[in-house]
């Protein structure tokens, strides 16, 4: 084996081989010694060394205090070559203690160099101060210094990789617990990508790009987007890939998408994988060291599993979307019995979702609430057309019949299984309850009324007053606002009224979007 090949396998290379990408920072080596000659000799001995295509950057400290301050400024320092005796007999040891305890830096590799070993016995120092190596200055020839640096940097690199792998695994486990929720797939991909990069020591930027099959290479149609990323792409999840991905990398990604075939060389892996639902993905990952056959197998396994996760996620979302559409179709079919309320269901659902968002409800509730709201008048399916479409006021008997729709809707939905249908049952039964207890059918008051029921109560009345019905004209908006204020604390929960009126423009925009068509 040639010397160059040996150096490359060790992680070292000369300046002409595999030049380091500009995005890779140098390894920081802090020389802590009060003798200028030690700094000069150390720099001279290590000046030409590179470790995994990254050069060394030297920091100089001439006292324990300076050492601590430099470590505070440069927490990513890989190694400290630490003298024991500087401004005091134990200045170096006190600095080590501060670095490990106060600065809580467990990653930096600390090599103790002493010219007076009697003042710092090796066994006691290594165990008490968390020292990674102990050398007498007379031992450290240029050749041995090379070995010390190589070993220290290898350990530092492995510790960083282990930490990143742990972080990635935490994300994977967290996302796996709720993989079918709306945002869990990106979290799963992000965590898996971080863990994968750590295991492969992939120091460069990595990104997973998602694209629709037909528009994968087009800037004019739906663009490719970033599903997950590390390094410079870590903060760009959901962004248009062409806007944030390096032009050279993006060219390779688009070529892989066009050809639907993965590419790789000894330092870069660009993998293509797709799902049966027509969504394509490309993983780009670069490495500071040549990739082994084992590395490639890990990458291929990553691609396959993310593809399967996305496939399952898509099927789950499709089922939920189907359920949502069936609910909307059913409720809208009921409203079609009245030509003047064709879009009432859609508006109430959107109003409820908007009010829920203003209340900062959790995301899973913001998915349930509008669907439950859409079912608020489901019980009207059992009410006679003569009552529903009567142009004038209802008689007392007719009003009692109309009020039955709340209990009818409850009985229809409460017998069904599923979170959405059970929430719909609560809304159907309680959306005519009043905050002061004067409503029907149960006479509930205050927070005894389900939050969804309180929300739908308000937005249902808001919509009824502001739109034309067979028995009345639409009220002017100022009159609607005055009525809501007047009934705050009576029919409606005050904080909900305040939220709606303080954000009235958002509700008016929904009203305009789903306005009733004339005729």
């Amino acid at each position: 084996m040639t010397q160059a090949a040996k150096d490359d396998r060790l992680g070292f290379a000369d300046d002409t081989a595999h030049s380091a990408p500009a995005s890779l920072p140098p390894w920081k080596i802090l020389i802590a010694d009060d003798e200028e000659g030690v700094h000069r000799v150390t720099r001279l001995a290590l000046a030409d060394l590179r470790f995994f295509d990254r050069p060394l950057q030297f920091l100089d400290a001439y006292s324990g205090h300076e050492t601590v301050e430099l470590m505070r400024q440069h927490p990513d320092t890989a190694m400290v070559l630490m003298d024991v005796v500087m401004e005091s007999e134990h200045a170096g040891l006190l600095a080590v203690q501060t670095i490990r305890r106060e600065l809580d830096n467990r990653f930096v590799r600390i090599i103790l160099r002493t010219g007076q070993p009697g003042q710092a016995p090796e066994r006691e120092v290594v165990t008490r101060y968390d020292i990674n190596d102990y050398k007498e200055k007379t031992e450290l020839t240029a050749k041995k210094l090379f070995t010390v640096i190589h070993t220290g940097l290898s350990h530092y690199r492995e510790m960083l990789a282990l930490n990143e792998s742990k972080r990635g695994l935490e994300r994977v486990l967290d996302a796996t617990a709720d993989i079918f929720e709306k945002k869990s797939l990106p979290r799963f991909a992000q965590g898996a990508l971080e863990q994968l990069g750590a295991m492969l020591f992939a120091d460069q930027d990595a990104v997973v790009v998602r694209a629709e099959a037909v528009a994968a290479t087009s800037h004019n149609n739906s663009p490719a987007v970033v599903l997950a990323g590390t390094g410079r792409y870590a903060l760009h999840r959901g962004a248009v890939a062409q806007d944030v991905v390096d032009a050279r990398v993006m060219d390779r990604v688009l070529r892989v998408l066009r050809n639907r075939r993965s590419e790789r060389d000894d330092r870069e892996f660009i993998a293509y994988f797709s799902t049966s639902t027509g969504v394509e993905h490309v993983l780009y990952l670069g490495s500071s060291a040549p990739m082994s056959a084992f590395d490639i197998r890990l990458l291929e396994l990553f691609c396959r599993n993310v593809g399967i996760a996305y496939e399952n996620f898509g099927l789950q979302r499709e089922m939920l979307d189907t359920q949502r559409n069936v609910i909307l179709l059913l409720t809208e079919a009921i409203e079609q019995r009245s030509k003047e309320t064709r879009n009432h269901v859609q508006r109430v659902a959107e109003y409820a979702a908007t009010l829920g968002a203003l209340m900062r409800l959790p995301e899973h509730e913001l998915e349930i609430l509008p669907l439950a709201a859409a079912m608020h008048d489901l019980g009207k399916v059992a009410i006679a057309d003569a009552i529903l479409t009567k142009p004038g006021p209802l008689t007392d008997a007719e009003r009692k019949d109309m009020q039955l729709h709340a209990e009818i809707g409850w009985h229809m939905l409460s017998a069904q299984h599923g979170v959405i249908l059970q929430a719909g049952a609560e809304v159907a039964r309680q959306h005519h309850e009043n905050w002061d207890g004067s409503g029907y059918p149960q006479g509930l008051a205050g927070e005894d009324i389900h939050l969804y029921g309180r929300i739908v109560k308000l937005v249902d009345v808001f919509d009824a007053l502001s739109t034309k019905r067979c028995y009345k004209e639409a009220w002017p908006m100022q009159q609607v606002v005055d009525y809501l204020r007047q009934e705050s604390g009576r029919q409606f929960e005050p904080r909900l009224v305040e939220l709606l009126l303080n954000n009235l423009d958002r509700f008016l925009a929904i009203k305009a979007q789903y306005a009733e068509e004339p005729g």
Side-chain angles (χ1 to χ4, degrees):
M1 181 180 293
T2 65
Q3 183 60 46
K6 291 179 181 178
D7 287 345
D8 190 59
R9 190 173 68 172
L10 287 171
F12 288 95
D14 61 42
D15 291 336
T16 61
H18 305 299
S19 58
S23 61
L24 294 181
W27 305 101
K28 294 180 181 179
I29 309 294
L30 196 162
I31 306 170
D33 201 295
D34 60 352
E35 297 181 27
E36 177 60 40
V38 173
H39 289 258
R40 189 168 55 252
V41 169
T42 302
R43 285 172 170 269
L44 186 64
L46 301 175
D48 296 329
L49 293 181
R50 302 176 71 86
F51 183 72
F52 283 97
D53 274 355
R54 293 166 62 178
L56 308 184
Q57 175 186 347
F58 297 102
L59 306 173
D60 296 291
Y62 295 88
S63 67
H65 176 73
E66 287 184 15
T67 301
V68 171
E69 288 308 306
L70 280 173
M71 284 300 302
R72 201 185 304 275
Q73 298 169 26
H74 301 274
D76 58 340
T77 298
M79 292 184 66
V80 178
L81 301 174
M82 178 74 76
D83 189 15
V84 175
V85 181
M86 289 183 279
E87 71 266 37
S88 67
E89 288 187 355
H90 300 293
L93 296 178
L94 293 175
V96 171
Q97 195 171 54
T98 302
I99 291 167
R100 294 302 194 202
R101 296 180 183 177
E102 182 184 325
L103 303 186
D104 195 27
N105 191 324
R106 300 292 174 181
F107 296 110
V108 64
R109 303 293 84 194
I110 299 178
I111 313 301
L112 205 65
R113 299 197 295 181
T114 179
Q116 304 174 48
Q119 290 186 280
E122 181 174 353
R123 178 175 295 182
E124 178 186 348
V125 166
V126 168
T127 56
R128 182 178 176 184
Y129 292 94
D130 192 12
I131 300 295
N132 303 112
D133 204 351
Y134 182 104
K135 299 292 181 184
E136 295 183 29
K137 289 184 179 180
T138 54
E139 289 183 78
L140 282 177
T141 61
K143 184 176 180 180
K144 288 190 176 180
L145 189 57
F146 172 96
T147 303
V148 166
I149 294 297
H150 177 272
T151 302
L153 289 179
S154 294
H155 290 167
Y156 176 75
R157 183 169 176 260
E158 288 166 0
M159 287 189 68
L160 289 184
L162 183 62
N163 186 60
E164 289 301 311
S165 180
K166 179 182 177 182
R167 288 177 54 207
L169 182 58
E170 287 173 351
R171 287 179 181 264
V172 171
L173 293 175
D174 178 57
T176 301
D178 56 353
I179 189 66
F180 296 125
E181 287 191 6
K182 188 171 184 179
K183 291 186 177 178
S184 60
L185 180 70
R187 288 210 317 274
F188 172 79
Q190 182 71 30
L193 186 61
E194 289 177 359
Q195 190 179 23
L196 182 68
M199 287 189 296
L200 300 180
F201 298 109
D203 302 314
Q204 299 184 33
D205 308 306
V207 64
V208 177
V209 170
R210 181 181 66 204
E212 297 298 328
V214 176
T217 61
S218 172
H219 291 266
N220 299 320
N221 298 319
S222 301
V225 297
V226 174
L227 177 66
T230 61
R232 75 172 74 175
Y233 307 122
L235 301 179
H236 294 294
R237 194 165 69 192
V240 175
Q242 288 91 336
D243 293 342
V244 298
V245 175
D246 177 77
R248 183 189 66 81
V249 173
M250 197 65 212
D251 284 344
R252 298 197 72 175
V253 168
L254 291 177
R255 185 168 68 242
V256 165
L257 281 170
R258 281 195 302 271
N259 297 335
R260 292 183 170 85
R261 186 172 63 250
S262 301
E263 295 180 4
R264 70 171 185 261
D265 53 38
D266 63 339
R267 306 265 174 144
E268 291 184 312
F269 184 87
I270 309 96
Y272 171 85
F273 56 107
S274 64
T275 70
S276 63
T277 55
V279 179
E280 298 178 308
H281 299 82
V282 172
L283 161 68
Y284 168 84
L285 186 140
S287 175
S288 58
M291 296 185 190
S292 67
F294 176 72
D295 296 338
I296 299 300
R297 285 197 298 273
L298 275 180
L299 289 166
E300 290 172 343
L301 183 62
F302 168 85
C303 294
R304 186 178 69 186
N305 287 346
V306 170
I308 291 171
Y310 193 84
E311 191 87 37
N312 292 336
F313 174 82
L315 292 172
Q316 180 76 0
R317 297 305 305 175
E318 187 176 343
M319 286 190 294
L320 289 175
D321 289 342
T322 300
Q323 184 178 8
R324 179 183 295 106
N325 291 336
V326 168
I327 289 171
L328 290 175
L329 285 171
L330 176 62
T331 53
E332 286 176 2
I334 295 169
E335 295 297 336
Q336 286 295 325
R337 296 167 69 189
S338 171
K339 294 181 179 180
E340 296 168 339
T341 59
R342 285 174 180 170
N343 289 331
H344 171 68
V345 168
Q346 189 69 55
R347 287 194 301 270
V348 167
E350 293 291 335
Y351 291 152
T354 301
L355 200 50
L358 291 170
M359 294 186 67
R360 303 182 185 278
L361 294 183
E363 186 173 335
H364 71 278
E365 290 199 59
L366 293 179
E367 288 198 340
I368 295 171
L369 174 57
L371 294 176
M375 293 183 277
H376 70 286
D377 277 339
L378 187 64
K380 285 184 178 179
V381 70
I383 305 301
D385 285 348
I387 296 176
L388 287 177
T389 60
K390 185 177 180 180
L394 299 178
T395 65
D396 289 343
E398 289 170 336
R399 185 173 293 104
K400 287 182 179 179
D401 284 345
M402 174 68 86
Q403 291 179 351
L404 290 175
H405 81 276
E407 289 285 7
I408 292 170
W410 156 258
H411 286 296
M412 291 174 65
L413 292 170
S414 62
Q416 307 304 313
H417 296 290
V419 175
I420 294 174
L421 295 177
Q422 288 298 311
E426 294 291 344
V427 168
R429 192 181 205 185
Q430 297 184 14
H431 74 286
H432 284 292
E433 300 287 358
N434 290 338
W435 181 253
D436 65 0
S438 61
Y440 68 88
Q442 297 172 284
L444 301 176
E447 294 189 357
D448 287 340
I449 307 168
H450 193 286
L451 175 60
Y452 295 178
R454 286 177 261 154
I455 289 174
V456 174
K457 166 71 177 186
L458 175 60
V459 298
D460 185 33
V461 172
F462 173 79
D463 190 68
L465 295 179
S466 60
T467 55
K468 181 180 178 181
R469 296 294 172 88
C470 59
Y471 52 88
K472 72 169 191 66
E473 293 295 324
W475 287 17
M477 188 50 60
Q478 186 56 54
Q479 187 178 350
V480 174
V481 169
D482 291 343
Y483 181 83
L484 296 185
R485 286 202 176 104
Q486 173 188 323
E487 294 299 313
S488 177
R490 298 179 186 177
Q491 291 190 54
F492 314 119
E493 181 179 357
R495 64 166 176 163
L496 297 181
V497 174
E498 182 180 0
L499 278 174
L500 190 153
L501 296 182
N502 287 344
N503 297 274
L504 186 59
D505 56 332
R506 296 175 64 171
F507 293 87
L508 294 180
I510 294 170
K511 183 177 184 296
Q513 182 180 358
Y514 298 102
E516 301 294 348
E517 297 178 5

